[in-house]
Amino acid sequence: GESVGLHLPTLSVQEGDNSIINCAYSNSASDYFIWYKQESGKGPQFIIDIRSNMDKRQGQRVTVLLNKTVKHLSLQIAATQPGDSAVYFCAELFGGSNYKLTFGKGTLLTVNP
Amino acid sequence: ETGVTQTPRHLVMGMTNKKSLKCEQHLGHNAMYWYKQSAKKPLELMFVYSLEERVENNSVPSRFSPECPNSSHLFLHLHTLQPEDSALYLCASSQEIEVYSGNTIYFGEGSWLTVV
């Protein structure tokens, strides 16, 4: 299928392993963050979000960690499955806007069976 | 199936052509968006509509012209494009324009545009 962002950071893991995808955000005033998953040939799909007053948030098999000191966001996927293979984007919402998301370049996750 | 449908999925057009991309959302949302996704840049916001009124034109050239006839439909009219406009154009919608926890943006699958 088609893909975008051909020159992406890549992460290759074995099925069953845990995956950690990192994102450095740009604006210390950003107060809301989202992780999206984009499979080949599809649009981005919401995974999990976190507000800046939190350090950690857990979902089903996913955890997002926020380190405001170093402006770093990470997405942890437990027991990674082949269906998790996709490009993962982080997005931040600047404090000055209530709708203008700024997206990161993305990381290509490949899960090997 | 996200509830946001885009047509056509693929479009090839010459630089002198006029074409349109169509988006329809079946979610009863009040806000709709156009994003551009190219190989060299992260996802970029182009236009935002809230209750059929345009609230954002993110420095997009006039050869891209959006239209929102009602809250369920969004068009992107294309005229005299350049090869560097070739990209994936994504439509999205959300219940309200403010992005916050619980007000997720839902994306369509995109329209692949190639300008020759």
Side-chain angles (χ1 to χ4, degrees):
Chain A
E2 296 113 340
S3 65
V4 293
L6 297 177
H7 303 289
L8 297 175
T10 58
L11 175 65
S12 183
V13 301
Q14 292 298 122
E15 182 177 359
D17 287 352
N18 296 334
S19 303
I20 300 176
I21 300 170
N22 297 303
C23 176
Y25 63 92
S26 57
N27 194 322
S28 57
S30 293
D31 56 10
Y32 178 61
F33 304 88
I34 309 174
W35 279 101
Y36 284 93
K37 171 187 180 183
Q38 187 172 23
E39 298 175 77
S40 181
K42 295 188 176 181
Q45 178 185 3
F46 173 92
I47 302 174
I48 192 168
D49 59 2
I50 189 168
R51 297 208 70 92
S52 60
N53 61 354
M54 302 172 70
D55 297 323
K56 178 180 179 179
R57 190 164 189 224
Q58 287 185 290
Q60 188 177 11
R61 276 201 311 120
V62 294
T63 301
V64 55
L65 298 178
L66 175 62
N67 185 331
K68 295 180 285 293
T69 303
V70 294
K71 294 190 289 186
H72 184 267
L73 198 64
S74 69
L75 177 70
Q76 300 179 359
I77 304 174
T80 315
Q81 301 167 359
D84 295 327
S85 294
V87 175
Y88 290 81
F89 300 93
C90 66
E92 62 183 299
L93 185 70
F94 285 9
S97 169
N98 60 1
Y99 59 80
K100 207 174 218 179
L101 287 171
T102 299
F103 287 80
K105 192 175 181 182
T107 296
L108 176 61
L109 174 67
T110 302
V111 182
N112 302 308
Chain B
E1 179 59 50
T2 64
V4 180
T5 304
Q6 290 187 243
T7 55
R9 292 298 313 280
H10 295 85
L11 177 63
V12 179
M13 61 185 289
M15 289 189 282
T16 59
N17 290 162
K18 286 185 181 180
K19 297 285 184 183
S20 296
L21 305 180
K22 179 183 175 182
C23 176
E24 182 175 2
Q25 56 97 359
H26 314 276
L27 302 167
H29 288 169
N30 293 321
M32 296 189 76
Y33 312 79
W34 279 116
Y35 281 86
K36 176 183 178 182
Q37 190 174 38
S38 63
K40 297 182 179 179
K41 291 184 178 181
L43 205 59
E44 298 174 274
L45 179 65
M46 299 176 72
F47 300 105
V48 181
Y49 277 82
S50 176
L51 297 171
E52 302 151 44
E53 288 196 17
R54 191 191 313 179
V55 298
E56 178 75 33
N57 176 344
N58 199 24
S59 304
V60 180
S62 59
R63 57 186 184 270
F64 295 91
S65 175
E67 180 190 359
C68 187
N70 55 62
S71 59
S72 299
H73 293 86
L74 186 65
F75 294 88
L76 188 63
H77 303 300
L78 315 170
H79 177 46
T80 60
L81 296 192
Q82 305 298 312
E84 59 264 29
D85 296 322
S86 298
L88 178 67
Y89 289 85
L90 288 159
C91 175
S93 72
S94 61
Q95 183 62 53
E96 307 296 340
I97 191 173
E98 295 85 5
V99 175
Y100 57 87
S101 187
N103 185 40
T104 305
I105 293 179
Y106 293 86
F107 285 87
E109 296 195 334
S111 295
W112 283 97
L113 173 66
T114 303
V115 181
V116 297

